[in-house]
Amino acid sequence: MAEQHVRLTAQLYEAREQMRRLLGDAFSARMAALGKAIQVIAEKKKITVLQAGIAAAKAMQEDGQAYTAVSVLAATVELLEPSAPAVPPESEG
């Protein structure tokens, strides 16, 4: 079971990285919006954010909405472990 958890964790982080590359500057706003929806689902169903995110992503995948499924997984990761703010490069001079 531990190996499954490691694989799932890697897939979740990869989903976040994919969405960060695809969305660019819109990443934070999109993840915040999806994160709110995931939190609402979790609260209504009395389940964890992780369970809610995975269930929502599976439903999207089954409905043929692969992009949205990856977005939901990325937002789930952001809720559980927010990205560190971007550090500007040090100026040379």
Side-chain angles (χ1 to χ4, degrees):
M1 194 68 149
E3 186 176 331
Q4 264 185 318
H5 291 167
V6 170
R7 253 188 268 131
L8 175 60
T9 300
Q11 289 172 340
L12 289 169
Y13 282 108
E14 179 58 26
R16 178 167 67 179
E17 289 309 309
Q18 287 175 358
M19 293 314 299
R20 184 177 283 128
R21 285 190 300 270
L22 287 170
L23 295 173
D25 293 338
F27 175 80
S28 294
R30 178 74 173 142
M31 294 302 103
L34 282 171
K36 287 179 185 177
I38 294 164
Q39 286 177 315
V40 167
I41 292 167
E43 290 169 10
K44 284 186 177 183
K45 293 188 173 193
K46 295 182 178 16
I47 57 177
T48 68
V49 166
L50 181 58
Q51 291 169 324
I54 290 172
K58 281 182 181 179
M60 294 293 127
Q61 183 73 33
E62 290 170 2
D63 196 37
Q65 299 179 46
Y67 177 85
T68 304
V70 174
S71 298
V72 167
L73 292 176
T76 302
V77 174
E78 278 296 294
L79 283 171
L80 298 171
E81 189 173 306
S83 297
V87 177
E90 291 185 35
S91 59
E92 295 180 32

Coordinates of all heavy atoms in Angstrom, one line a residue:
M1 N 0.8 -1.2 0.0 CA 0.0 0.0 0.0 C 0.9 1.3 0.0 O 0.5 2.2 -0.6 CB -0.9 0.0 1.2 CG -2.0 1.0 1.1 SD -3.2 0.6 -0.2 CE -4.7 1.2 0.5
A2 N 2.0 1.2 0.7 CA 2.9 2.4 0.7 C 3.4 2.8 -0.7 O 3.4 4.0 -1.0 CB 4.1 2.1 1.6
E3 N 3.6 1.8 -1.5 CA 4.1 2.1 -2.9 C 3.0 2.8 -3.6 O 3.3 3.7 -4.4 CB 4.5 0.8 -3.6 CG 5.1 1.1 -4.9 CD 5.6 -0.2 -5.6 OE1 6.0 -1.2 -4.9 OE2 5.6 -0.2 -6.8
Q4 N 1.7 2.4 -3.4 CA 0.6 3.1 -4.1 C 0.5 4.5 -3.7 O 0.3 5.4 -4.5 CB -0.7 2.4 -3.7 CG -1.2 1.4 -4.7 CD -2.5 0.8 -4.3 OE1 -2.8 0.6 -3.1 NE2 -3.4 0.7 -5.2
H5 N 0.7 4.8 -2.4 CA 0.7 6.2 -1.9 C 1.8 7.0 -2.5 O 1.5 8.2 -2.8 CB 0.8 6.2 -0.4 CG -0.4 5.6 0.3 ND1 -0.5 5.3 1.6 CD2 -1.7 5.3 -0.2 CE1 -1.6 4.8 1.9 NE2 -2.4 4.8 0.9
V6 N 3.0 6.4 -2.6 CA 4.1 7.2 -3.2 C 3.8 7.5 -4.7 O 4.0 8.6 -5.1 CB 5.4 6.4 -3.1 CG1 6.5 7.0 -4.0 CG2 5.8 6.2 -1.7
R7 N 3.2 6.5 -5.4 CA 2.8 6.8 -6.8 C 1.7 7.8 -6.9 O 1.8 8.7 -7.8 CB 2.3 5.5 -7.5 CG 3.4 4.9 -8.4 CD 2.8 3.7 -9.2 NE 3.2 2.5 -8.5 CZ 2.4 1.6 -8.2 NH1 1.1 1.6 -8.6 NH2 2.8 0.5 -7.5
L8 N 0.8 7.8 -6.1 CA -0.3 8.8 -6.1 C 0.2 10.2 -5.8 O -0.1 11.1 -6.5 CB -1.4 8.4 -5.1 CG -2.6 9.4 -4.9 CD1 -3.3 9.6 -6.2 CD2 -3.5 9.0 -3.8
T9 N 1.1 10.2 -4.8 CA 1.7 11.5 -4.4 C 2.5 12.1 -5.6 O 2.3 13.3 -6.0 CB 2.6 11.4 -3.2 OG1 1.8 10.9 -2.1 CG2 3.3 12.7 -2.8
A10 N 3.2 11.3 -6.3 CA 4.0 11.7 -7.5 C 3.1 12.2 -8.6 O 3.3 13.2 -9.2 CB 4.9 10.6 -8.0
Q11 N 1.9 11.5 -8.8 CA 1.0 11.9 -9.8 C 0.3 13.2 -9.5 O 0.1 14.1 -10.3 CB -0.1 10.8 -10.0 CG 0.4 9.6 -10.6 CD -0.6 8.5 -10.6 OE1 -1.5 8.5 -9.9 NE2 -0.4 7.5 -11.5
L12 N 0.0 13.4 -8.2 CA -0.6 14.7 -7.7 C 0.4 15.9 -8.0 O 0.0 16.9 -8.5 CB -1.0 14.6 -6.3 CG -2.1 13.7 -6.0 CD1 -2.3 13.5 -4.5 CD2 -3.4 14.3 -6.5
Y13 N 1.6 15.7 -7.6 CA 2.6 16.8 -7.8 C 2.8 17.0 -9.3 O 3.0 18.2 -9.7 CB 4.0 16.4 -7.1 CG 3.9 16.7 -5.6 CD1 3.9 15.6 -4.7 CD2 3.9 18.0 -5.1 CE1 3.9 15.9 -3.4 CE2 3.8 18.2 -3.8 CZ 3.8 17.1 -2.9 OH 3.8 17.4 -1.6
E14 N 2.8 16.0 -10.1 CA 3.0 16.1 -11.5 C 1.8 16.9 -12.1 O 2.0 17.7 -13.0 CB 3.2 14.8 -12.2 CG 3.3 14.9 -13.7 CD 4.5 15.7 -14.2 OE1 5.5 15.8 -13.5 OE2 4.4 16.2 -15.3
A15 N 0.6 16.6 -11.6 CA -0.6 17.3 -12.1 C -0.4 18.8 -11.8 O -0.7 19.7 -12.7 CB -1.8 16.8 -11.4
R16 N 0.1 19.2 -10.6 CA 0.3 20.6 -10.3 C 1.3 21.2 -11.2 O 1.1 22.3 -11.7 CB 0.7 20.7 -8.8 CG 1.0 22.2 -8.5 CD 1.1 22.4 -7.0 NE 2.3 21.8 -6.4 CZ 2.6 21.9 -5.2 NH1 1.8 22.6 -4.3 NH2 3.7 21.4 -4.7
E17 N 2.4 20.5 -11.5 CA 3.4 21.1 -12.3 C 2.9 21.3 -13.8 O 3.2 22.3 -14.4 CB 4.7 20.2 -12.3 CG 5.4 20.3 -11.0 CD 5.7 21.7 -10.6 OE1 6.3 22.5 -11.4 OE2 5.4 22.1 -9.4
Q18 N 2.1 20.3 -14.3 CA 1.6 20.5 -15.6 C 0.7 21.7 -15.7 O 0.7 22.5 -16.6 CB 0.7 19.2 -16.0 CG 1.6 18.0 -16.3 CD 0.7 16.8 -16.5 OE1 -0.5 16.8 -16.4 NE2 1.3 15.6 -16.8
M19 N -0.2 21.9 -14.7 CA -1.1 23.0 -14.7 C -0.3 24.3 -14.5 O -0.7 25.3 -15.2 CB -2.2 22.9 -13.6 CG -3.1 21.7 -13.9 SD -3.8 21.6 -15.6 CE -4.6 23.1 -15.7
R20 N 0.7 24.3 -13.7 CA 1.5 25.5 -13.6 C 2.1 25.9 -14.9 O 2.1 27.1 -15.3 CB 2.6 25.3 -12.5 CG 3.4 26.6 -12.3 CD 4.4 26.4 -11.2 NE 3.8 26.4 -9.9 CZ 4.0 25.4 -9.0 NH1 4.8 24.4 -9.2 NH2 3.4 25.5 -7.9
R21 N 2.6 25.0 -15.7 CA 3.2 25.3 -17.0 C 2.1 25.7 -18.0 O 2.3 26.6 -18.8 CB 3.9 24.0 -17.6 CG 5.3 23.8 -16.9 CD 6.0 22.7 -17.6 NE 5.4 21.4 -17.7 CZ 5.5 20.4 -16.8 NH1 6.3 20.6 -15.8 NH2 4.9 19.3 -17.0
L22 N 1.0 25.1 -18.0 CA -0.1 25.4 -18.9 C -0.7 26.8 -18.6 O -1.0 27.5 -19.5 CB -1.2 24.3 -18.9 CG -0.8 23.0 -19.6 CD1 -1.9 22.0 -19.3 CD2 -0.7 23.2 -21.1
L23 N -1.0 27.0 -17.3 CA -1.7 28.2 -17.0 C -0.8 29.5 -16.8 O -1.3 30.6 -16.9 CB -2.5 28.0 -15.7 CG -3.7 27.0 -15.8 CD1 -4.3 26.7 -14.5 CD2 -4.7 27.4 -16.8
G24 N 0.4 29.3 -16.5 CA 1.3 30.4 -16.3 C 0.8 31.3 -15.2 O 0.5 30.9 -14.1
D25 N 0.6 32.6 -15.5 CA 0.2 33.6 -14.5 C -1.2 33.4 -14.0 O -1.5 33.9 -12.9 CB 0.3 35.0 -15.1 CG 1.8 35.4 -15.4 OD1 2.7 34.9 -14.8 OD2 1.9 36.4 -16.2
A26 N -2.0 32.6 -14.7 CA -3.4 32.4 -14.3 C -3.5 31.2 -13.3 O -4.5 31.0 -12.8 CB -4.3 32.1 -15.5
F27 N -2.3 30.6 -13.0 CA -2.3 29.4 -12.2 C -2.9 29.6 -10.8 O -3.8 28.9 -10.4 CB -0.9 28.9 -12.0 CG -0.8 27.7 -11.1 CD1 -1.1 26.4 -11.5 CD2 -0.3 27.9 -9.8 CE1 -1.0 25.4 -10.6 CE2 -0.2 26.8 -8.9 CZ -0.5 25.6 -9.3
S28 N -2.4 30.6 -10.1 CA -2.9 30.9 -8.7 C -4.4 31.1 -8.6 O -5.1 30.6 -7.8 CB -2.1 32.0 -8.1 OG -0.8 31.7 -8.0
A29 N -4.9 32.0 -9.5 CA -6.3 32.3 -9.5 C -7.2 31.1 -9.8 O -8.2 30.9 -9.1 CB -6.6 33.4 -10.5
R30 N -6.8 30.3 -10.8 CA -7.5 29.1 -11.2 C -7.5 28.1 -10.0 O -8.6 27.5 -9.7 CB -7.0 28.5 -12.5 CG -7.6 27.3 -12.9 CD -9.0 27.6 -13.5 NE -9.5 26.3 -14.1 CZ -10.7 26.0 -14.1 NH1 -11.6 26.7 -13.5 NH2 -11.1 24.8 -14.6
M31 N -6.4 27.9 -9.4 CA -6.3 26.9 -8.3 C -7.1 27.4 -7.1 O -7.7 26.6 -6.5 CB -4.8 26.7 -7.9 CG -4.0 26.0 -9.0 SD -4.6 24.4 -9.6 CE -5.3 24.8 -11.2
A32 N -7.1 28.7 -6.9 CA -7.9 29.2 -5.7 C -9.4 28.9 -6.0 O -10.1 28.5 -5.0 CB -7.6 30.7 -5.5
A33 N -9.8 29.2 -7.2 CA -11.3 29.0 -7.5 C -11.6 27.5 -7.4 O -12.7 27.2 -6.8 CB -11.6 29.5 -8.9
L34 N -10.8 26.7 -8.0 CA -11.1 25.2 -7.9 C -11.0 24.7 -6.4 O -11.8 23.9 -6.0 CB -10.2 24.4 -8.8 CG -10.5 24.4 -10.3 CD1 -9.4 23.8 -11.1 CD2 -11.8 23.7 -10.5
G35 N -10.0 25.3 -5.7 CA -9.8 24.9 -4.3 C -11.1 25.1 -3.5 O -11.5 24.3 -2.6
K36 N -11.7 26.3 -3.7 CA -12.9 26.6 -2.9 C -14.0 25.6 -3.2 O -14.7 25.2 -2.3 CB -13.4 28.0 -3.3 CG -12.5 29.1 -2.7 CD -13.1 30.5 -3.1 CE -12.1 31.6 -2.6 NZ -12.5 32.9 -3.0
A37 N -14.1 25.2 -4.5 CA -15.2 24.2 -4.8 C -14.9 22.9 -4.2 O -15.8 22.2 -3.7 CB -15.2 24.1 -6.4
I38 N -13.6 22.5 -4.2 CA -13.2 21.2 -3.5 C -13.5 21.2 -2.0 O -14.0 20.3 -1.5 CB -11.7 20.9 -3.8 CG1 -11.5 20.6 -5.3 CG2 -11.3 19.7 -3.0 CD1 -10.1 20.7 -5.8
Q39 N -13.2 22.4 -1.4 CA -13.5 22.5 0.0 C -15.0 22.4 0.3 O -15.4 21.7 1.3 CB -13.0 23.8 0.6 CG -11.5 23.8 0.7 CD -10.9 25.2 1.1 OE1 -11.3 26.2 0.7 NE2 -10.0 25.1 2.1
V40 N -15.8 23.0 -0.5 CA -17.3 22.9 -0.4 C -17.7 21.4 -0.4 O -18.5 21.0 0.4 CB -18.0 23.8 -1.4 CG1 -19.5 23.5 -1.4 CG2 -17.8 25.3 -1.1
I41 N -17.2 20.7 -1.5 CA -17.6 19.3 -1.6 C -17.2 18.5 -0.4 O -17.9 17.7 0.2 CB -16.9 18.7 -2.9 CG1 -17.5 19.4 -4.1 CG2 -17.0 17.2 -2.9 CD1 -16.7 19.1 -5.4
A42 N -15.9 18.8 0.1 CA -15.4 18.0 1.3 C -16.3 18.3 2.5 O -16.7 17.4 3.2 CB -14.0 18.4 1.5
E43 N -16.7 19.5 2.7 CA -17.5 19.9 3.9 C -18.9 19.3 3.8 O -19.4 18.7 4.7 CB -17.6 21.4 4.0 CG -16.3 22.0 4.4 CD -16.3 23.5 4.3 OE1 -17.3 24.2 4.1 OE2 -15.2 24.1 4.5
K44 N -19.5 19.4 2.6 CA -20.9 18.8 2.4 C -20.9 17.3 2.6 O -21.8 16.8 3.1 CB -21.4 19.2 1.0 CG -21.9 20.6 1.0 CD -22.5 20.9 -0.4 CE -23.0 22.4 -0.3 NZ -23.8 22.7 -1.6
K45 N -19.9 16.6 2.1 CA -19.8 15.2 2.1 C -19.1 14.6 3.4 O -19.1 13.4 3.6 CB -19.1 14.6 0.9 CG -19.9 14.8 -0.4 CD -19.3 14.1 -1.5 CE -20.2 14.2 -2.7 NZ -19.8 13.3 -3.8
K46 N -18.6 15.6 4.2 CA -17.9 15.2 5.4 C -16.7 14.2 5.1 O -16.6 13.2 5.8 CB -18.9 14.7 6.5 CG -19.9 15.7 6.9 CD -20.8 15.1 8.0 CE -21.8 16.0 8.6 NZ -22.2 17.2 8.2
I47 N -15.9 14.6 4.1 CA -14.8 13.8 3.8 C -13.6 14.8 3.7 O -13.7 16.0 3.8 CB -14.9 13.1 2.4 CG1 -15.2 14.1 1.3 CG2 -16.0 12.1 2.5 CD1 -15.4 13.5 -0.1
T48 N -12.4 14.2 3.6 CA -11.2 15.1 3.5 C -11.1 15.8 2.1 O -11.7 15.4 1.2 CB -9.9 14.3 3.7 OG1 -9.7 13.4 2.6 CG2 -10.0 13.5 5.0
V49 N -10.3 16.8 2.1 CA -10.1 17.6 0.9 C -9.5 16.6 -0.2 O -9.8 16.6 -1.3 CB -9.1 18.8 1.1 CG1 -8.6 19.3 -0.2 CG2 -9.9 19.8 1.9
L50 N -8.5 15.8 0.3 CA -7.9 14.8 -0.7 C -9.0 13.9 -1.2 O -9.0 13.6 -2.5 CB -6.8 14.0 0.1 CG -6.1 13.0 -0.8 CD1 -5.4 13.7 -2.0 CD2 -5.0 12.3 0.0
Q51 N -9.8 13.3 -0.4 CA -10.9 12.4 -0.9 C -11.8 13.2 -1.9 O -12.2 12.6 -2.9 CB -11.7 11.9 0.3 CG -10.9 10.9 1.1 CD -11.7 10.6 2.4 OE1 -12.3 11.4 3.0 NE2 -11.5 9.3 2.9
A52 N -12.2 14.4 -1.5 CA -13.1 15.2 -2.4 C -12.4 15.4 -3.7 O -13.0 15.3 -4.8 CB -13.4 16.5 -1.7
G53 N -11.1 15.8 -3.7 CA -10.4 16.1 -5.0 C -10.3 14.9 -5.8 O -10.5 15.0 -7.1
I54 N -9.9 13.8 -5.3 CA -9.8 12.6 -6.1 C -11.1 12.1 -6.6 O -11.2 11.8 -7.8 CB -9.1 11.5 -5.2 CG1 -7.6 11.8 -5.0 CG2 -9.2 10.1 -5.9 CD1 -6.9 10.9 -4.0
A55 N -12.1 12.2 -5.8 CA -13.5 11.8 -6.3 C -13.9 12.7 -7.5 O -14.5 12.3 -8.5 CB -14.5 11.8 -5.2
A56 N -13.7 14.0 -7.3 CA -14.1 15.0 -8.4 C -13.3 14.7 -9.6 O -13.9 14.8 -10.7 CB -14.0 16.4 -7.9
A57 N -12.0 14.5 -9.5 CA -11.2 14.3 -10.7 C -11.6 13.0 -11.4 O -11.6 13.0 -12.6 CB -9.7 14.2 -10.2
K58 N -11.9 12.0 -10.6 CA -12.3 10.7 -11.3 C -13.6 10.9 -12.0 O -13.8 10.4 -13.1 CB -12.6 9.6 -10.2 CG -11.3 9.0 -9.7 CD -11.6 7.9 -8.7 CE -10.3 7.2 -8.2 NZ -10.6 6.2 -7.2
A59 N -14.6 11.7 -11.4 CA -15.8 12.0 -12.1 C -15.6 12.7 -13.4 O -16.2 12.5 -14.4 CB -16.8 12.7 -11.2
M60 N -14.7 13.7 -13.4 CA -14.4 14.5 -14.6 C -13.7 13.6 -15.6 O -14.1 13.7 -16.8 CB -13.4 15.6 -14.2 CG -13.9 16.7 -13.3 SD -15.3 17.6 -14.1 CE -16.5 17.4 -12.9
Q61 N -12.8 12.7 -15.2 CA -12.1 11.8 -16.1 C -13.2 10.9 -16.8 O -13.1 10.7 -18.0 CB -11.1 11.0 -15.4 CG -10.3 10.1 -16.3 CD -9.3 10.8 -17.1 OE1 -8.7 11.9 -16.7 NE2 -9.0 10.3 -18.3
E62 N -14.1 10.4 -16.0 CA -15.1 9.5 -16.6 C -16.0 10.2 -17.5 O -16.6 9.6 -18.4 CB -15.9 8.8 -15.4 CG -15.1 7.8 -14.6 CD -15.7 7.3 -13.4 OE1 -16.9 7.8 -13.1 OE2 -15.1 6.6 -12.6
D63 N -16.2 11.5 -17.3 CA -17.0 12.3 -18.2 C -16.3 12.8 -19.4 O -16.8 13.6 -20.2 CB -17.6 13.5 -17.4 CG -18.8 14.1 -18.0 OD1 -19.6 13.4 -18.7 OD2 -18.9 15.4 -18.0
G64 N -15.0 12.4 -19.6 CA -14.2 12.8 -20.7 C -13.6 14.2 -20.6 O -13.2 14.8 -21.6
Q65 N -13.5 14.7 -19.4 CA -13.0 16.0 -19.1 C -11.6 15.9 -18.5 O -11.4 16.2 -17.3 CB -13.9 16.8 -18.3 CG -15.2 17.0 -18.9 CD -16.2 17.8 -18.0 OE1 -15.8 18.8 -17.4 NE2 -17.4 17.3 -17.8
A66 N -10.6 15.3 -19.2 CA -9.3 15.0 -18.7 C -8.6 16.3 -18.2 O -7.9 16.3 -17.2 CB -8.4 14.3 -19.7
Y67 N -8.7 17.4 -19.0 CA -8.0 18.6 -18.6 C -8.6 19.1 -17.2 O -7.8 19.5 -16.3 CB -8.3 19.7 -19.7 CG -7.7 21.1 -19.3 CD1 -6.4 21.4 -19.5 CD2 -8.5 22.0 -18.7 CE1 -5.9 22.6 -19.2 CE2 -8.0 23.3 -18.4 CZ -6.7 23.6 -18.6 OH -6.2 24.8 -18.3
T68 N -9.9 19.1 -17.1 CA -10.5 19.5 -15.8 C -10.1 18.6 -14.7 O -9.8 19.0 -13.6 CB -12.0 19.6 -15.9 OG1 -12.4 20.4 -17.0 CG2 -12.7 20.1 -14.7
A69 N -10.0 17.3 -15.0 CA -9.5 16.3 -13.9 C -8.2 16.7 -13.4 O -7.9 16.7 -12.2 CB -9.6 14.9 -14.5
V70 N -7.2 17.0 -14.3 CA -5.9 17.3 -13.9 C -5.9 18.6 -13.2 O -5.2 18.8 -12.1 CB -4.9 17.4 -15.2 CG1 -3.6 18.0 -14.8 CG2 -4.8 16.1 -15.8
S71 N -6.7 19.6 -13.6 CA -6.9 20.9 -12.9 C -7.3 20.6 -11.4 O -6.8 21.3 -10.5 CB -7.9 21.8 -13.6 OG -7.4 22.1 -14.9
V72 N -8.3 19.7 -11.3 CA -8.8 19.5 -9.9 C -7.8 18.8 -9.0 O -7.6 19.2 -7.9 CB -10.1 18.6 -10.0 CG1 -10.5 18.0 -8.7 CG2 -11.3 19.3 -10.6
L73 N -7.0 17.9 -9.6 CA -5.9 17.3 -8.8 C -4.9 18.3 -8.4 O -4.4 18.3 -7.3 CB -5.3 16.2 -9.6 CG -6.1 14.9 -9.9 CD1 -5.4 13.9 -10.7 CD2 -6.5 14.3 -8.5
A74 N -4.5 19.2 -9.3 CA -3.6 20.3 -9.0 C -4.1 21.2 -7.9 O -3.4 21.6 -7.0 CB -3.3 21.1 -10.3
A75 N -5.4 21.5 -8.0 CA -6.0 22.4 -7.0 C -6.0 21.7 -5.6 O -5.8 22.3 -4.6 CB -7.4 22.8 -7.4
T76 N -6.2 20.4 -5.6 CA -6.2 19.6 -4.4 C -4.8 19.7 -3.7 O -4.6 19.9 -2.5 CB -6.5 18.1 -4.7 OG1 -7.9 18.1 -5.3 CG2 -6.5 17.3 -3.4
V77 N -3.7 19.5 -4.6 CA -2.4 19.6 -4.0 C -2.1 21.0 -3.5 O -1.6 21.2 -2.4 CB -1.3 19.3 -5.1 CG1 0.1 19.6 -4.6 CG2 -1.5 17.9 -5.6
E78 N -2.6 22.0 -4.2 CA -2.4 23.4 -3.7 C -3.1 23.7 -2.3 O -2.6 24.4 -1.5 CB -3.0 24.4 -4.7 CG -2.0 24.7 -5.8 CD -0.7 25.4 -5.3 OE1 -0.8 26.5 -4.8 OE2 0.3 24.7 -5.4
L79 N -4.3 23.0 -2.1 CA -5.0 23.1 -0.9 C -4.1 22.5 0.3 O -4.1 23.0 1.4 CB -6.3 22.5 -0.9 CG -7.4 23.3 -1.6 CD1 -8.7 22.4 -1.8 CD2 -7.8 24.5 -0.9
L80 N -3.6 21.3 0.0 CA -2.9 20.5 1.0 C -1.5 21.0 1.2 O -1.0 21.0 2.4 CB -2.9 19.1 0.6 CG -4.2 18.4 0.5 CD1 -4.1 17.0 -0.2 CD2 -4.9 18.3 1.8
E81 N -0.8 21.5 0.2 CA 0.5 22.0 0.3 C 0.7 23.1 -0.7 O 1.2 22.9 -1.8 CB 1.5 20.9 0.0 CG 2.9 21.2 0.3 CD 3.9 20.0 0.2 OE1 3.6 19.0 0.8 OE2 4.8 20.2 -0.6
P82 N 0.4 24.3 -0.3 CA 0.5 25.5 -1.2 C 1.9 25.6 -1.8 O 2.9 25.4 -1.1 CB 0.1 26.7 -0.4 CG -0.7 26.1 0.8 CD -0.1 24.7 1.0
S83 N 2.0 26.1 -3.0 CA 3.2 26.4 -3.7 C 3.9 27.5 -2.9 O 3.3 28.4 -2.4 CB 3.0 26.8 -5.1 OG 2.4 25.8 -5.9
A84 N 5.2 27.4 -2.9 CA 6.0 28.5 -2.4 C 5.9 29.7 -3.3 O 5.9 29.5 -4.6 CB 7.5 28.0 -2.2
P85 N 5.9 30.9 -2.8 CA 5.9 32.0 -3.7 C 7.1 32.1 -4.6 O 8.2 31.6 -4.2 CB 5.8 33.2 -2.8 CG 5.9 32.7 -1.4 CD 5.9 31.2 -1.4
A86 N 7.0 32.5 -5.8 CA 8.1 32.6 -6.7 C 9.1 33.6 -6.2 O 8.8 34.7 -5.7 CB 7.6 33.1 -8.1
V87 N 10.4 33.2 -6.2 CA 11.4 34.1 -5.7 C 12.0 34.8 -6.9 O 12.5 34.1 -7.8 CB 12.5 33.2 -5.0 CG1 13.6 34.1 -4.5 CG2 11.9 32.5 -3.8
P88 N 12.0 36.1 -6.9 CA 12.6 36.8 -8.0 C 14.1 36.6 -8.1 O 14.8 36.4 -7.1 CB 12.3 38.3 -7.8 CG 12.0 38.4 -6.3 CD 11.5 37.0 -5.9
P89 N 14.7 36.5 -9.3 CA 16.1 36.3 -9.4 C 16.9 37.4 -8.8 O 16.4 38.6 -8.9 CB 16.3 36.2 -10.9 CG 15.1 36.7 -11.6 CD 14.0 36.7 -10.6
E90 N 18.0 37.1 -8.2 CA 18.8 38.2 -7.6 C 19.4 39.1 -8.7 O 19.8 38.6 -9.8 CB 20.0 37.6 -6.8 CG 19.5 36.9 -5.6 CD 20.7 36.4 -4.8 OE1 21.7 37.0 -4.7 OE2 20.5 35.3 -4.2
S91 N 19.3 40.4 -8.5 CA 19.9 41.3 -9.5 C 21.4 41.3 -9.4 O 22.0 41.2 -8.3 CB 19.3 42.7 -9.3 OG 19.6 43.1 -8.0
E92 N 22.0 41.3 -10.6 CA 23.4 41.4 -10.6 C 23.8 42.8 -10.7 O 23.3 43.6 -11.4 CB 23.9 40.6 -11.9 CG 23.6 39.1 -11.8 CD 24.1 38.4 -13.0 OE1 25.1 38.7 -13.6 OE2 23.4 37.4 -13.4
G93 N 24.8 43.1 -10.0 CA 25.2 44.5 -10.2 C 26.1 45.0 -9.2 O 26.6 45.6 -8.7

